[in-house]
């Protein structure tokens, strides 16, 4: 049995057609069911539905053999027990700094609000900027509006969320897409089925990319 960890939101929506092309079709709709383990039409594959940020943990500890996770989550996780064999090219966005347009550079240490604490610290350290990073769990856009922070580090897609809150994108930290991740021990123990699935997904992804060109 192969167990694949996927989060329920936009990654699931975009992963579903990819998985379906590889013959993996859940036999229950997670939006209509409270089940967290979804059997699929392939009796050798099941999905577990978890929070996006928990995917690397499940895969690193071998509770799932494979997972699909955003590069933002993987970079922030800083784990060591994961292979990342394939960029699935889905759930694309950019990890950016953002803040009120035209605000003068803070005279004190820059205060940054984000849920990507490790990534933000590394980004500002690399540029030699003294930053105090404040951990938030959501609604980062609010922080500069109420004086909690000078800027934020968050994901940007259309930019509508920033604009709606009077913020502007500033610097690109990295381009984001979702990746296939694999548990290291499973890669040895279930080498055949995992490389077969990863290979199948890789062919689907490159066929898609060729169509988009
Ligand atoms: O929902 P839950 O709290 O469990 O976790 P989650 O919110 O992290 O899950 P989900 O499904 O919302 O997002 C999971 C993954 O999707 C992220 O880790 C990214 O890899 C990827 N992704 C791609 C995005 C976006 N695009 C995105 N735009 N995740 C979030 N956003 C948010 C962003 O945080 C901001 O609030 O959308 C807003 C910006 O969008 P625009 O279009 O207004 O710029
Ligand atoms: Mg969400």
């Amino acid at each position: 049995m192969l167990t694949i960890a996927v989060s329920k939101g936009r990654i699931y929506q975009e992963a579903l057609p990819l998985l379906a092309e590889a013959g993996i079709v859940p036999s229950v709709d997670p939006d209509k069911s409270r089940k967290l383990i979804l059997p699929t039409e392939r009796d050798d594959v099941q999905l577990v539905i978890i929070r996006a940020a928990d995917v690397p943990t499940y895969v690193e500890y071998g509770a799932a053999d494979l997972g699909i996770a955003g590069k933002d989550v993987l970079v922030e996780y800083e784990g060591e027990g994961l292979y990342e064999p394939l960029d699935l090219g889905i759930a694309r966005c950019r990890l950016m700094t953002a803040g009120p347009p035209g605000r003068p550079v803070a005279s004190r240490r820059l205060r940054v609000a984000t849920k990507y604490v490790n990534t933000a610290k590394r980004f500002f350290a690399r540029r030699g900027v003294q930053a105090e990073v404040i951990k938030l769990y959501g609604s980062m856009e609010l922080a500069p509006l109420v004086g909690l922070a000078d800027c934020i580090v968050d994901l940007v897609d259309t930019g509508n969320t920033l604009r709606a809150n009077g913020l502007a994108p500033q610097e690109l930290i990295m381009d984001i897409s979702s990746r296939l991740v694999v548990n290291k021990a499973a890669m040895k123990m279930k080498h055949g089925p995992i490389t077969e699935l990863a290979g199948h997904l890789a062919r689907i992804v490159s066929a898609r990319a060729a169509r988009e060109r």
Side-chain angles (χ1 to χ4, degrees):
M1 174 69 79
L2 286 183
T3 299
I4 308 176
V6 194
S7 57
K8 202 173 181 177
R10 66 188 92 215
I11 290 181
Y12 184 81
Q13 291 311 321
E14 294 193 36
L16 213 50
L18 265 185
L19 293 171
E21 277 193 68
I24 300 168
V25 177
S27 24
V28 252
D29 177 352
D31 289 328
K32 296 197 181 105
S33 157
R34 288 172 186 255
K35 267 184 187 288
L36 298 176
I37 300 179
L38 305 186
T40 71
E41 285 168 15
R42 270 178 61 169
D43 54 16
D44 59 336
V45 179
Q46 63 181 5
L47 305 184
V48 291
I49 305 297
I50 57 183
R51 294 292 292 266
D54 289 334
V55 169
T57 309
Y58 273 70
V59 177
E60 174 155 17
Y61 287 88
D65 303 303
L66 304 122
I68 298 177
K71 186 67 182 175
D72 51 315
V73 164
L74 294 171
V75 163
E76 180 65 16
Y77 180 68
E78 299 181 327
E80 307 246 299
L82 295 174
Y83 291 124
E84 195 189 302
L86 181 63
D87 183 347
L88 296 168
I90 58 171
R92 289 177 185 279
C93 58
R94 285 153 292 148
L95 184 67
M96 301 197 68
T97 66
R103 176 186 286 189
V105 176
S107 50
R108 56 176 161 76
R109 232 149 83 99
L110 190 71
R111 278 216 309 244
V112 184
T114 185
K115 68 176 176 185
Y116 301 101
V117 171
N118 300 327
T119 312
K121 282 184 179 161
R122 250 182 283 123
F123 174 75
F124 287 106
R126 233 188 296 130
R127 337 203 100 208
V129 174
Q130 288 256 25
E132 179 182 350
V133 179
I134 302 171
K135 167 86 183 182
L136 292 179
Y137 292 86
S139 303
M140 267 76 80
E141 302 81 15
L142 180 62
L145 306 180
V146 295
L148 177 61
D150 303 298
C151 66
I152 64 173
V153 166
D154 197 8
L155 301 173
V156 182
D157 179 16
T158 59
N160 288 340
T161 307
L162 292 179
R163 256 190 309 279
N165 291 291
L167 303 178
Q170 293 167 343
E171 286 184 273
L172 176 67
I173 300 178
M174 65 179 79
D175 287 306
I176 302 295
S177 56
S178 292
R179 311 301 166 98
L180 185 70
V181 289
V182 182
N183 172 269
K184 284 192 172 168
M187 190 62 126
K188 293 202 186 80
M189 308 294 291
K190 304 181 182 179
H191 190 261
I194 287 178
T195 49
E196 195 190 328
L197 176 58
H200 198 167
L201 288 171
R203 289 191 296 279
I204 294 165
V205 168
S206 49
R208 276 190 172 190
R211 278 201 303 275
E212 280 167 22
R213 272 199 297 273

